[in-house]
Amino acid sequence: MKLREHLHIIRRSIQLLDRLSRRNLLGRSLHALVVALMPYVPIYFSARLIDALIAGAPVQTLALYAGLTIGLTALLSLAKAFLLAQCEIGAPEMELAYEWMHAEKAAQLSYASIEDHEVARLKQRIRSETQTGFNLYYFYSSMERVIQFSVRILVSISLTASFFAADTIALPAKLLFAGGVVLTVAVNMLIGRRSAKIRSAFSADCVQSNIMLGELDGYITDYKPGKDIRLYAMEEPLAALDKRLLDELGAYEMRVYLKCAGLELIATVMNYALRFGVYLLLISGALMGGVTVGSIAQYVSSVMLLLTAVMELVRTAQQLALNDTYTRRFFSYFDIPNPMYKGSLSVEKRDDNEYYIEFCDVTFKYPNTDAYALRHVNLRFRVGEKLAVVGMNGSGKTTFIKLLCRLYDPTEGEIRLNGVDIRKYDYDEYMAIFSVVFQDFQLFAYSLGQSVAASAEYDAKRAEACLREAGFEERLSSMPKGLDTSLYQDFDKNGIEISGGEAQKIAIARALYKNAPFIVLDEPTAALDPVSEYEVYRRFGEISGGKTAIYISHRLASCRFCDEILVFHEGQIVQHGAHEALLAQENGKYAELWNAQAQYYTETA
């Protein structure tokens, strides 16, 4: 990575930390400055006090030095406490803003990115790296050290400058000392770089294992898979896999620590050898009379702090440079664009309710795949019609709905609303005209009323009416808190567990509550019992009202109430028409599917 890239990442990281919590950023920076300065107050004034005592200075002078030492130290301590309090307030602010940043990004991603395995893996990886202290969080934690060590280097140099200017210290000795510092710093740089690379390689190698351990932990601790774990005797295999991964990671980590400890030993020996040389130089200078007793104390302390600061700053800078790879990956997730064109046209509000949807030679294949999910689909229908979409698994039914709802854009062709390409409409307005119940729908662990309204605030009467229409009335009457009853126990220990069929009814009620002109039901009765399924069929016209209803199902008997049936096969519409007309085409796909299902309901001799 070039220097320009490192500087760009540093600048962007500081800007992000400032946006997350300016209070925390300033508090941490100033706190580091105060902590860096604190040791030098007693070092400087103690040296002056010792020299004054030896020189027989008056009591007032001694008292002044003592007062300045105590007073300035007290002021810095008060400033440190105040800034630390600001940091303690700012840290939760930053944490909340950071989590909200992730939530916002997830909401802003296109659905194609949400379904993209590589994007999901990238998100997991940066989360894992954050938890192990890399990317932005390493920069944040290192920022204080950089400020602290940089300030200490500057102050230490200013307090030791007179040592190098002293005539009593021979030039070769000064050069030897400077050479020792350079050599020690160089050795520390090499060791720091090597250690950082070893640790970085360890972290990179552990990404997949950490993801697997996280998933395993989710399986084992979540109550929902608990039934399967027990019924299929998965306790021992899961525990064994978890232990094997932990043992492998532990053994690998031990090897890494031993290598780094060996390198650290070399650096430690070099550091203390240099310190010993400093003591010899100062003793030599004192014996020659060119260095005062107080100055010796000042030089010793300042040089020790200087050496420590230089070593630590070098290490921190090296580790930050390596961490920039993680930070760049971190930002790469937040830089993922949303390619969905938002449009600007308002969705027309028609009094006559005459809306037309057209698929014009629509072809589509999913990102990162070569196979076409839909090919040359042409279709026109009007709002108010009831459409059934049937076909075998993988025939393109759900893909057809995703394109209609603009979760994806066609690879080729256009979808039009009243003659206008839907990409030209305001994206949010267009999405608002659809109520959809997908077969893999998701309910959230909020109250029943909030789940139906998909909002924290809701109209109770309207929510109850939608639940009644969806066939949930009897179950609602038995709920302890009615619409305020929490679903599941993720957030409320008194939450209720609902069956798959009940969840499906709530999902249908949610679609009705939205009251959009298009309602799409993707296998809406898959989890319902036969009686409930029949009730949904019987009341389908009443439930959908004057809306356009698109009904996807594998059960062809449920499609007879629709105005038109679309038959998908291998990504194409191979037939369309009413039930009787399609059934009359004996060699057609619909008749084939109908007869294949009918045999299970026909008695055999």
Side-chain angles (χ1 to χ4, degrees), residues 140-313:
Y140 163 69
S141 63
S142 300
M143 183 182 62
E144 281 187 276
R145 297 202 300 275
V146 170
I147 295 172
Q148 183 177 327
F149 299 141
S150 299
V151 170
R152 285 190 174 176
I153 289 171
L154 293 174
V155 178
S156 294
I157 289 174
S158 66
L159 292 181
T160 55
S162 58
F163 166 76
F164 290 98
D167 294 333
T168 53
I169 305 296
L171 179 61
K174 294 175 184 178
L175 293 175
L176 182 62
F177 171 71
V181 171
V182 171
L183 177 61
T184 304
V185 170
V187 170
N188 274 266
M189 286 180 64
L190 292 173
I191 288 174
R193 182 180 299 175
R194 179 58 181 159
S195 296
K197 285 185 177 180
I198 291 172
R199 294 179 188 277
S200 179
F202 169 70
S203 298
D205 291 344
C206 293
V207 169
Q208 186 60 34
S209 296
N210 284 328
I211 291 173
M212 288 183 66
L213 283 168
E215 293 296 329
L216 279 171
D217 183 63
Y219 294 151
I220 294 170
T221 57
D222 189 359
Y223 69 95
K224 292 178 182 177
K227 299 188 293 295
D228 296 300
I229 289 174
R230 284 153 181 78
L231 286 170
Y232 290 95
M234 297 169 66
E235 300 96 331
E236 289 189 11
L238 285 174
L241 177 58
D242 191 68
K243 185 177 184 303
R244 179 174 65 78
L245 288 172
L246 286 172
D247 287 345
E248 289 175 356
L249 279 177
Y252 189 1
E253 191 172 22
M254 181 61 72
R255 293 195 299 272
V256 168
Y257 283 154
L258 288 173
K259 286 181 182 178
C260 292
L263 293 170
E264 188 66 30
L265 179 61
I266 298 172
T268 302
V269 170
M270 290 286 294
N271 291 343
Y272 279 97
L274 182 60
R275 293 185 183 195
F276 181 68
V278 170
Y279 276 108
L280 292 179
L281 283 175
L282 291 172
I283 291 169
S284 173
L287 291 174
M288 293 180 181
V291 181
T292 66
V293 176
S295 295
I296 290 176
Q298 176 181 311
Y299 294 151
V300 167
S301 299
S302 297
V303 170
M304 294 305 105
L305 287 171
L306 172 64
L307 292 175
T308 301
V310 169
M311 306 308 174
E312 292 298 330
L313 182 61

Side-chain angles (χ1 to χ4, degrees), residues 353-510:
N353 209 31
E354 288 292 316
Y355 291 91
Y356 288 90
I357 288 283
E358 297 174 90
F359 276 65
C360 303
D361 200 31
V362 170
T363 294
F364 177 75
K365 60 180 178 180
Y366 285 97
N368 305 316
T369 63
D370 295 325
Y372 285 93
L374 290 179
R375 294 181 67 89
H376 306 297
V377 173
N378 290 280
L379 175 68
R380 187 174 191 268
F381 58 91
R382 179 177 59 83
V383 166
E385 291 182 339
K386 308 294 185 288
L387 301 178
V389 178
V390 301
M392 300 173 67
N393 287 336
S395 60
K397 304 186 299 298
T398 298
T399 300
F400 168 73
I401 298 303
K402 288 179 179 178
L403 291 175
L404 174 64
C405 297
R406 221 191 150 204
L407 293 175
Y408 288 92
D409 283 332
T411 305
E412 299 173 16
E414 288 184 357
I415 303 173
R416 298 172 184 167
L417 173 63
N418 289 342
V420 178
D421 188 336
I422 63 174
R423 285 173 285 202
K424 296 181 179 179
Y425 286 112
D426 178 271
Y427 187 78
D428 294 330
E429 279 194 33
Y430 182 79
M431 295 286 279
I433 68 175
F434 292 95
S435 290
V436 186
V437 181
F438 284 107
Q439 56 186 319
D440 55 350
F441 66 88
Q442 178 69 53
L443 295 182
F444 302 98
Y446 304 134
S447 73
L448 174 60
Q450 291 172 332
S451 294
V452 171
S455 171
E457 305 296 330
Y458 61 91
D459 183 329
K461 291 184 178 179
R462 183 174 159 196
E464 287 181 1
C466 292
L467 287 166
R468 282 197 302 273
E469 286 187 63
F472 199 77
E473 183 176 14
E474 183 178 347
R475 183 70 172 96
L476 174 62
S477 64
S478 67
M479 288 189 165
K481 296 182 181 179
L483 292 174
D484 291 328
T485 304
S486 295
L487 300 182
Y488 313 115
Q489 297 179 358
D490 299 53
F491 308 124
D492 184 353
K493 66 179 181 180
N494 296 316
I496 63 163
E497 294 296 320
I498 54 177
S499 68
E502 290 169 339
Q504 209 151 28
K505 290 178 182 178
I506 295 172
I508 293 173
R510 181 172 64 185

Side-chain angles (χ1 to χ4, degrees), residues 23-24 26-35 76-90 144:
R23 181 204 305 268
N24 196 53
L26 289 176
R28 293 287 177 189
S29 301
L30 294 174
H31 179 266
L33 177 63
V34 170
V35 169
L76 288 173
S77 297
L78 288 173
K80 177 184 174 184
F82 172 77
L83 292 169
L84 190 59
Q86 296 303 305
C87 295
E88 289 176 350
I89 297 171
E144 281 187 276

Side-chain angles (χ1 to χ4, degrees), residues 570-585:
E570 295 181 351
Q572 296 179 300
I573 298 177
V574 295
Q575 288 180 286
H576 62 90
H579 168 73
E580 297 298 337
L582 292 176
L583 203 57
Q585 301 174 25

